[in-house]
Coordinates of all heavy atoms in Angstrom, one line a residue:
L1 N 116.4 89.1 86.5 CA 117.0 90.4 86.6 C 116.2 91.4 87.3 O 116.6 92.1 88.2 CB 117.6 90.9 85.3 CG 118.4 92.0 85.3 CD1 119.7 91.8 86.2 CD2 118.9 92.5 83.9
I2 N 115.0 91.4 86.9 CA 113.9 92.3 87.6 C 114.0 92.1 89.1 O 113.9 92.9 90.0 CB 112.6 92.4 86.8 CG1 112.9 93.0 85.5 CG2 111.5 93.0 87.7 CD1 111.6 92.8 84.6
A3 N 113.8 90.7 89.4 CA 113.7 90.3 90.7 C 114.9 90.6 91.6 O 114.8 91.0 92.7 CB 113.4 88.7 90.8
W4 N 116.1 90.5 90.9 CA 117.5 90.8 91.6 C 117.3 92.4 92.0 O 117.6 92.7 93.0 CB 118.5 90.6 90.6 CG 119.9 90.8 91.3 CD1 120.5 89.9 92.2 CD2 120.8 91.9 91.1 NE1 121.8 90.5 92.5 CE2 121.8 91.7 91.9 CE3 120.6 93.2 90.4 CZ2 122.9 92.7 92.0 CZ3 121.6 94.0 90.6 CH2 122.8 93.8 91.3
Y5 N 117.0 93.2 90.9 CA 116.9 94.7 91.3 C 115.9 94.9 92.3 O 116.1 95.7 93.3 CB 116.5 95.5 90.0 CG 117.7 95.6 89.2 CD1 117.7 95.3 87.9 CD2 118.8 96.3 89.4 CE1 118.7 95.4 86.9 CE2 119.9 96.5 88.6 CZ 119.9 96.1 87.4 OH 121.0 96.2 86.5
E6 N 114.8 94.3 92.4 CA 113.7 94.4 93.4 C 114.2 94.0 94.7 O 114.0 94.7 95.7 CB 112.4 93.6 93.1 CG 111.7 94.2 91.9 CD 110.4 93.3 91.5 OE1 110.5 92.1 91.7 OE2 109.5 94.0 91.0
R7 N 115.0 93.0 94.9 CA 115.8 92.7 96.1 C 116.6 93.7 96.6 O 117.1 93.8 97.8 CB 116.4 91.3 96.1 CG 115.5 90.2 95.9 CD 116.2 88.8 96.1 NE 117.3 88.6 95.1 CZ 117.1 88.0 94.0 NH1 115.9 87.7 93.5 NH2 118.2 87.8 93.1
H8 N 117.1 94.5 95.7 CA 117.9 95.8 96.1 C 117.3 97.1 96.1 O 117.9 98.1 96.0 CB 119.1 95.7 95.0 CG 120.0 94.6 95.4 ND1 119.7 93.4 94.6 CD2 121.1 94.3 96.0 CE1 120.7 92.5 95.0 NE2 121.5 93.1 95.9
G9 N 115.9 97.0 96.3 CA 115.1 98.2 96.5 C 114.6 99.0 95.3 O 113.8 100.0 95.5
Y10 N 114.8 98.4 94.3 CA 114.1 99.0 93.0 C 112.7 98.5 92.8 O 112.6 97.3 93.2 CB 115.0 98.8 91.8 CG 116.3 99.5 91.9 CD1 117.4 98.9 92.6 CD2 116.6 100.7 91.2 CE1 118.6 99.6 92.7 CE2 117.7 101.3 91.3 CZ 118.7 100.9 92.1 OH 120.0 101.5 92.2
R11 N 111.9 99.4 92.3 CA 110.5 99.0 92.0 C 110.1 99.4 90.7 O 110.5 100.5 90.1 CB 109.5 99.7 93.1 CG 109.9 99.4 94.5 CD 109.4 97.9 94.8 NE 109.8 97.5 96.2 CZ 110.7 96.5 96.4 NH1 111.3 96.0 95.4 NH2 111.1 96.2 97.6
K12 N 109.2 98.5 90.1 CA 108.6 98.9 88.8 C 107.7 100.2 89.0 O 107.0 100.1 89.9 CB 107.8 97.7 88.2 CG 108.6 96.5 87.9 CD 107.6 95.4 87.3 CE 108.2 94.1 87.4 NZ 107.3 93.1 87.2
T13 N 107.9 101.1 88.0 CA 107.0 102.3 88.2 C 105.8 102.2 87.5 O 104.7 102.9 87.7 CB 107.7 103.4 87.5 OG1 107.9 103.2 86.1 CG2 109.1 103.7 88.1
G14 N 105.5 101.0 86.6 CA 104.4 100.8 85.9 C 104.5 101.4 84.4 O 103.6 101.1 83.6
A15 N 105.6 102.2 84.3 CA 105.8 102.7 82.9 C 106.6 101.7 82.0 O 107.4 101.0 82.6 CB 106.5 104.0 83.0
T16 N 106.4 101.8 80.8 CA 107.2 100.9 79.8 C 107.6 101.8 78.8 O 107.2 102.9 78.6 CB 106.3 99.8 79.3 OG1 105.2 100.4 78.5 CG2 105.8 98.9 80.4
E17 N 108.7 101.4 78.1 CA 109.2 102.0 76.9 C 109.6 101.0 75.8 O 109.9 99.9 76.0 CB 110.6 102.6 77.3 CG 110.5 103.8 78.3 CD 111.8 104.6 78.6 OE1 112.9 104.2 78.0 OE2 111.9 105.3 79.5
P18 N 109.5 101.4 74.5 CA 109.7 100.5 73.5 C 111.1 100.1 73.4 O 112.0 101.0 73.7 CB 109.2 101.2 72.2 CG 109.2 102.6 72.6 CD 109.0 102.7 74.1
F19 N 111.4 98.9 72.9 CA 112.8 98.6 72.6 C 113.2 99.3 71.4 O 112.5 99.3 70.4 CB 113.0 97.1 72.4 CG 114.4 96.6 72.5 CD1 115.1 96.4 73.7 CD2 115.1 96.5 71.2 CE1 116.4 96.1 73.7 CE2 116.4 96.1 71.3 CZ 117.1 95.9 72.4
P20 N 114.4 99.9 71.3 CA 114.8 100.6 70.2 C 114.9 99.9 68.9 O 115.3 98.6 68.9 CB 116.2 101.2 70.5 CG 116.3 100.9 72.0 CD 115.4 100.0 72.4
A21 N 114.4 100.4 67.8 CA 114.5 99.7 66.5 C 115.8 99.8 65.9 O 116.2 99.2 64.8 CB 113.5 100.4 65.5
D22 N 116.8 100.5 66.4 CA 118.2 100.7 66.0 C 119.0 99.5 66.3 O 119.1 99.0 67.3 CB 118.8 101.9 66.8 CG 120.2 102.3 66.4 OD1 120.8 101.5 65.8 OD2 120.5 103.3 66.9
P23 N 119.5 98.8 65.2 CA 120.3 97.7 65.3 C 121.5 97.7 66.2 O 122.1 96.8 66.7 CB 120.6 97.2 63.8 CG 120.2 98.4 63.1 CD 119.5 99.3 63.7
S24 N 122.0 98.9 66.5 CA 123.2 99.1 67.3 C 122.8 98.7 68.8 O 123.7 98.5 69.6 CB 123.7 100.5 67.3 OG 122.8 101.5 67.8
F25 N 121.6 98.6 69.1 CA 121.1 98.1 70.4 C 121.1 96.6 70.4 O 120.8 96.0 71.4 CB 119.9 98.7 70.9 CG 120.0 100.2 71.3 CD1 119.7 101.1 70.3 CD2 120.4 100.5 72.5 CE1 119.9 102.4 70.6 CE2 120.5 101.9 72.9 CZ 120.2 102.8 71.9
G26 N 121.1 95.9 69.3 CA 121.0 94.4 69.2 C 119.9 94.2 68.2 O 119.0 95.0 67.8
L27 N 119.7 92.9 67.8 CA 118.7 92.4 66.9 C 117.8 91.6 67.7 O 118.1 90.3 68.0 CB 119.4 91.6 65.8 CG 120.5 92.5 65.1 CD1 121.3 91.4 64.1 CD2 119.9 93.6 64.3
P28 N 116.6 92.0 68.0 CA 115.6 91.2 68.8 C 115.2 90.0 68.2 O 115.0 90.0 66.9 CB 114.4 92.1 68.9 CG 115.0 93.5 68.7 CD 116.1 93.5 67.7
K29 N 115.2 88.9 68.9 CA 114.7 87.6 68.4 C 113.2 87.4 68.8 O 112.6 86.4 68.4 CB 115.6 86.5 69.1 CG 117.0 86.6 68.8 CD 117.9 85.4 69.4 CE 119.4 85.7 69.0 NZ 120.1 84.6 69.6
Q30 N 112.6 88.3 69.5 CA 111.3 88.5 69.7 C 110.8 89.9 70.0 O 111.7 90.7 70.2 CB 111.0 87.5 71.0 CG 111.6 87.9 72.3 CD 111.4 87.1 73.5 OE1 111.9 85.9 73.4 NE2 110.8 87.4 74.5
E31 N 109.6 90.1 70.2 CA 109.0 91.3 70.7 C 109.5 91.8 72.0 O 109.4 91.0 72.9 CB 107.5 91.4 70.6 CG 106.9 92.7 70.6 CD 107.1 93.5 69.3 OE1 107.1 92.9 68.3 OE2 107.1 94.8 69.4
L32 N 110.2 92.9 72.1 CA 110.8 93.3 73.4 C 110.3 94.6 73.8 O 110.1 95.5 72.9 CB 112.3 93.2 73.4 CG 113.0 92.0 73.1 CD1 114.4 92.1 72.9 CD2 112.6 91.0 74.2
E33 N 110.2 94.9 75.1 CA 110.0 96.2 75.6 C 110.7 96.4 76.9 O 111.1 95.4 77.5 CB 108.4 96.6 75.8 CG 107.8 95.8 76.9 CD 106.5 96.2 77.1 OE1 105.8 97.2 76.5 OE2 105.6 95.6 78.0
F34 N 110.8 97.6 77.5 CA 111.5 97.9 78.7 C 110.4 98.1 79.7 O 109.4 98.8 79.4 CB 112.5 99.1 78.6 CG 113.7 98.9 77.8 CD1 113.7 99.6 76.6 CD2 114.7 98.1 78.2 CE1 114.9 99.5 75.8 CE2 115.8 97.8 77.4 CZ 115.9 98.6 76.3
V35 N 110.7 97.7 81.0 CA 109.9 98.3 82.2 C 110.8 99.3 82.8 O 112.0 99.1 82.8 CB 109.5 97.2 83.1 CG1 108.6 96.2 82.5 CG2 110.8 96.4 83.6
V36 N 110.2 100.4 83.3 CA 111.0 101.4 84.1 C 111.1 101.1 85.5 O 109.9 100.6 86.0 CB 110.3 102.8 83.7 CG1 111.1 103.8 84.6 CG2 110.3 103.1 82.2

């Protein structure tokens, strides 16, 4: 998915954000974080 966005002109900024601990976003099956 990241590669698809990159093909459409989006670039990683180098920033990351934690995945929300709120279960309304889903129940992680592994450690997750976001790239901006």
Side-chain angles (χ1 to χ4, degrees):
L1 184 58
I2 290 168
W4 186 83
Y5 283 121
E6 288 175 331
R7 288 191 301 274
H8 292 89
Y10 291 82
R11 298 289 171 250
K12 293 181 202 173
T13 65
T16 60
E17 294 180 8
F19 191 84
D22 182 346
S24 68
F25 288 94
L27 306 168
K29 297 178 181 180
Q30 66 185 61
E31 193 72 27
L32 298 174
E33 72 175 353
F34 291 112
V35 295
V36 178

